[in-house]
């Protein structure tokens, strides 16, 4: 516990929803809900306007739609959120080398370590300057808490929401915490909170009055000691610049339960590939492959397999995940699948079997190439007449003539097409609500909705006035998916339509 409030906690306000409002001028001041849009989707973030209707994070999207039917429901754009987060984290690292990110929109900063602030006045000035810099660079707001410990700094930023700053002066901690709910303290969830409520403890002040011995008796020694220290405002944890990831995983919840075993295997393979992409992106490899299966009755099964050494080989991860799936009964249907890798390392130890198999395949390929070369030499010695005859026989045309589709063009074209040689229809393009698009005439915009062969687009961009809405065919050749535009900076030169 420090004598000066030089630990800063930044929490961006309704981050995902705020990014969407900043990039879509027509949504500013309106209820915005970001999350999964399917029947089993879950809310990731809701704007403060949506929260007034009772919508909150982790709520099923279907329930949110009932509470706020006129809200804007958008898919997450994680690439954009990550880009904005990197800008914000860069501002924090200008303040101190000790920055501890907790998520894309939240971090602790040790101001003393950066020589930025050593007392209350310097800490407050730094916090206000940070909020102004974030607003100038991203157009977003963040809440700042300043205190002598990490726990109190986080409590302060929560109390400062939205778009505020709260500094807890050393010596005032207990007075500030006393009237707050016990749920304010880290580690006090619904179960512990209810347990304490039944014992007549609902505020932090009552928690402190209960005493250490009583809390140990109620919730166990480890948890009881921790609760008592937090109730007194005591927290000696340092700000840690690098938090090592313990695992990397991806999962998907399906709108309709999967019953087909082949489809389930395909989804597991796809998840394994995505997991490896994320694993490589973090610069890690892993030794233990984990498969997660949630069945139709909400029962969740987890299976794992530990390899001989760390790997980031997608083939190895796919094979391990497939083996794990064989041991899982999917009768009745599957609503969620996930693939993860744990036991992370900064190096890889290639799978020996995969290496030997690759060597065998390479040797076999060389042998085949050598045989083909020898056969070609023998064919050349046989004379030009034999070559012409072989060519005519293979191509189906006189003197080895090749049809319009290339060698064997007619036959291949018939196979590629539908019945009677008709080409198969291209799959209908899908446009998710909230996704970025670019029109050859009207410029950048975002999908407001789609269905019945039509897609509705609002043409606007960050910094522009609310734009017009236009509707197109889903297969309009002038409409293409696009990358997000920066929230602050040079806009597209074409005016919004």
């Amino acid at each position: 516990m420090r004598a000066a409030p030089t630990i800063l906690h930044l929490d961006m306000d309704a981050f995902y929803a705020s990014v969407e409002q900043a990039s879509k001028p027509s949504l500013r001041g309106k209820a915005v809900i970001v999350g999964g849009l399917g029947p089993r989707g879950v809310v990731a973030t809701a704007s403060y306007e949506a929260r007034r209707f009772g919508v909150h994070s982790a709520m099923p999207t279907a329930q949110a739609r009932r509470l706020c039917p006129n809200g804007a429901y958008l898919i997450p754009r994680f690439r954009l959120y990550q880009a904005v987060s990197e800008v914000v984290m860069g501002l924090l690292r200008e303040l101190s080398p000790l920055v501890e990110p907790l998520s894309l929109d939240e971090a602790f900063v040790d101001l003393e370590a950066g020589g930025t602030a050593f007392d209350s006045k310097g800490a407050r000035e730094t916090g206000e300057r940070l909020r102004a810099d974030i607003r100038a660079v991203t157009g977003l707001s963040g809440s700042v808490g300043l205190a002598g410990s990490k726990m109190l700094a986080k409590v302060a930023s929560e109390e400062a929401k939205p778009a505020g700053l709260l500094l807890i002066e050393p010596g005032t901690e207990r007075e500030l915490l006393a009237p707050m709910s016990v749920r304010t303290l880290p580690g006090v969830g619904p179960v512990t909170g209810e347990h304490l409520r039944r014992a007549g403890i609902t505020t932090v002040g009552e928690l402190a009055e209960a005493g250490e011995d009583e809390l140990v008796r109620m919730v166990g020694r480890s948890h009881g000691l921790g609760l008592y220290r937090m109730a007194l405002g005591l927290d000696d944890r340092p700000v840690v610049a690098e938090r090592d990831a313990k695992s990397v995983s991806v999962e998907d919840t399906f709108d309709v339960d999967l019953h087909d075993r082949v489809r389930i295997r395909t989804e597991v393979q796809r998840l394994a590939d995505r997991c490896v992409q994320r694993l490589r992106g973090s610069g890690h490899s892993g030794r233990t492959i984990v498969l997660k299966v949630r069945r139709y009755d909400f029962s969740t099964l987890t299976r794992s397999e530990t390899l001989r050494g760390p790997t980031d080989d997608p083939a190895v991860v796919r094979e391990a995940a497939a083996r794990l799936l064989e041991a899982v009964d999917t009768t009745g249907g599957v609503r969620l699948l996930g693939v993860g890798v744990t036991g992370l390392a900064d190096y890889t130890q290639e799978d020996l079997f995969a290496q030997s198999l690759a060597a065998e395949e390479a040797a076999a390929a060389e042998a085949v190439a050598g045989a083909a070369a020898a056969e070609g030499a023998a064919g050349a010695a046989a004379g030009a007449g034999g070559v012409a005859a072989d060519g005519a026989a293979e191509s189906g045309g006189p003197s080895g003539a090749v049809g319009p589709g290339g060698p064997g063009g007619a036959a291949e074209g018939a196979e590629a097409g539908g019945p009677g040689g008709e080409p198969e229809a291209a799959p209908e393009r899908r446009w998710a609500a909230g996704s970025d698009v670019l029109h050859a005439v009207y410029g950048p915009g975002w999908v407001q909705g789609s269905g019945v062969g039509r897609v509705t687009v609002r043409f606007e961009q960050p910094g522009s006035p609310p734009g017009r809405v236009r509707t197109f065919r889903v297969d309009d050749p002038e409409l293409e998916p696009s990358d997000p535009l920066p929230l602050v900076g040079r806009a597209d030169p074409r005016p919004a339509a």
Side-chain angles (χ1 to χ4, degrees):
M1 189 75 181
R2 297 185 178 181
T6 53
I7 292 182
L8 180 149
H9 181 260
L10 171 71
D11 195 352
M12 299 297 289
D13 299 322
F15 184 53
Y16 296 173
S18 295
V19 170
E20 297 299 338
Q21 289 176 321
S23 64
K24 300 174 171 66
S26 59
L27 297 183
R28 291 169 189 167
K30 298 182 179 179
V32 174
I33 298 93
V34 179
L37 304 186
R40 292 174 176 170
V42 175
V43 174
T45 305
S47 68
Y48 287 100
E49 296 84 358
R51 295 181 191 186
R52 297 193 191 107
F53 293 88
V55 180
H56 57 78
S57 300
M59 171 183 285
T61 303
Q63 182 182 355
R65 288 185 187 276
R66 291 192 293 270
L67 293 172
C68 186
N70 296 321
Y73 290 82
L74 309 174
I75 61 166
R77 296 187 294 164
F78 289 111
R79 280 201 307 168
L80 176 59
Y81 307 151
Q82 187 168 17
V84 176
S85 174
E86 288 172 358
V87 172
V88 173
M89 295 301 166
L91 293 175
L92 297 182
R93 292 187 180 96
E94 291 178 6
L95 301 178
S96 172
L98 290 185
V99 176
E100 182 179 339
L102 304 179
S103 62
L104 288 178
D105 62 338
E106 187 180 0
F108 287 110
V109 184
D110 187 335
L111 299 180
E112 278 189 22
T116 310
F118 299 96
D119 56 18
S120 298
K121 181 182 178 182
R124 183 180 294 277
E125 290 174 352
T126 300
E128 294 290 4
R129 188 169 62 251
L130 173 65
R131 292 175 58 239
D133 289 344
I134 291 173
R135 174 74 72 176
V137 174
T138 68
L140 305 178
S141 67
S143 297
V144 170
L146 293 156
S149 71
K150 290 169 69 173
M151 183 202 77
L152 290 171
K154 185 172 175 63
V155 169
S157 68
E158 192 64 32
E159 291 295 307
K161 282 185 170 294
L165 180 149
L166 177 63
L167 184 147
I168 301 178
E169 291 284 359
T172 66
E173 298 89 359
R174 292 192 63 177
E175 181 183 352
L176 177 78
L177 290 173
M180 294 183 178
S181 166
V182 293
R183 292 290 302 277
T184 304
L185 300 179
V188 180
V191 175
T192 302
E194 177 61 20
H195 189 56
L196 293 172
R197 188 195 65 79
R198 289 199 299 267
I201 299 174
T202 59
T203 67
V204 177
E206 292 169 345
L207 198 64
E209 291 173 2
E212 183 177 294
D213 293 340
E214 179 65 14
L215 293 176
V216 168
R217 186 189 65 79
M218 291 174 59
V219 297
R221 181 169 182 78
S222 177
H223 199 24
L225 292 175
L227 281 178
Y228 184 65
R229 285 181 57 81
M230 286 190 293
L232 298 179
L234 302 177
D235 179 17
D236 298 324
R237 294 173 301 157
V239 176
V240 181
E242 296 295 333
R243 292 164 56 99
D244 291 335
K246 297 180 180 179
S247 64
V248 173
S249 63
V250 295
E251 61 183 41
D252 274 346
T253 300
F254 305 101
D255 293 343
V256 179
D257 289 348
L258 303 184
H259 293 83
D260 180 40
R261 188 75 178 183
V262 174
R263 169 77 187 282
I264 294 172
R265 280 197 295 268
T266 301
E267 292 295 337
V268 168
Q269 301 296 295
R270 184 177 59 82
L271 287 167
D273 288 340
R274 282 173 51 197
C275 183
V276 170
Q277 286 179 354
R278 185 172 294 183
L279 185 70
R280 289 180 169 179
S282 68
H284 289 95
S285 60
R287 192 177 179 205
T288 300
I289 314 303
V290 181
L291 175 71
K292 177 180 177 181
V293 179
R294 181 166 296 151
R295 299 190 292 189
Y296 68 99
D297 58 358
F298 286 90
S299 61
T300 302
L301 303 177
T302 303
R303 299 288 183 268
S304 63
E305 176 181 321
T306 300
L307 308 174
R308 291 191 295 273
T311 185
D312 64 353
D313 186 336
V316 174
V317 176
R318 282 197 302 266
E319 291 168 7
R323 288 193 296 271
L324 294 170
L325 179 62
E326 292 304 313
V328 176
D329 179 14
T330 58
T331 304
V334 169
R335 61 183 292 118
L336 177 146
L337 289 169
V339 174
V341 178
T342 65
L344 302 187
D346 295 328
Y347 64 94
T348 62
Q349 178 177 320
E350 297 296 337
D351 182 85
L352 298 180
F353 178 75
Q355 283 187 335
S356 63
L357 184 60
E360 290 175 7
E361 291 176 349
E366 288 180 7
V368 170
E375 185 176 343
V387 174
D390 288 345
E394 289 179 6
S395 66
S399 302
V402 178
E412 289 179 6
E415 289 178 7
E422 293 293 329
E424 293 182 355
E428 184 178 280
R429 299 166 80 184
R430 302 186 64 181
W431 304 95
S435 55
D436 296 280
V437 295
L438 182 67
H439 193 275
V441 176
Y442 301 113
W446 58 279
V447 175
Q448 203 162 328
S450 64
V452 199
R454 296 288 186 270
V455 55
T456 301
V457 178
R458 185 179 287 274
F459 290 98
E460 59 186 8
Q461 50 192 299
S464 76
R468 287 189 57 184
V469 174
R470 297 180 183 273
T471 300
F472 307 90
R473 298 192 319 272
V474 293
D475 59 352
D476 190 316
E478 295 187 319
L479 188 66
E480 295 292 340
S482 174
D483 291 329
L485 295 173
L487 298 187
V488 176
R490 186 179 63 84
D492 190 274
R494 287 166 292 186

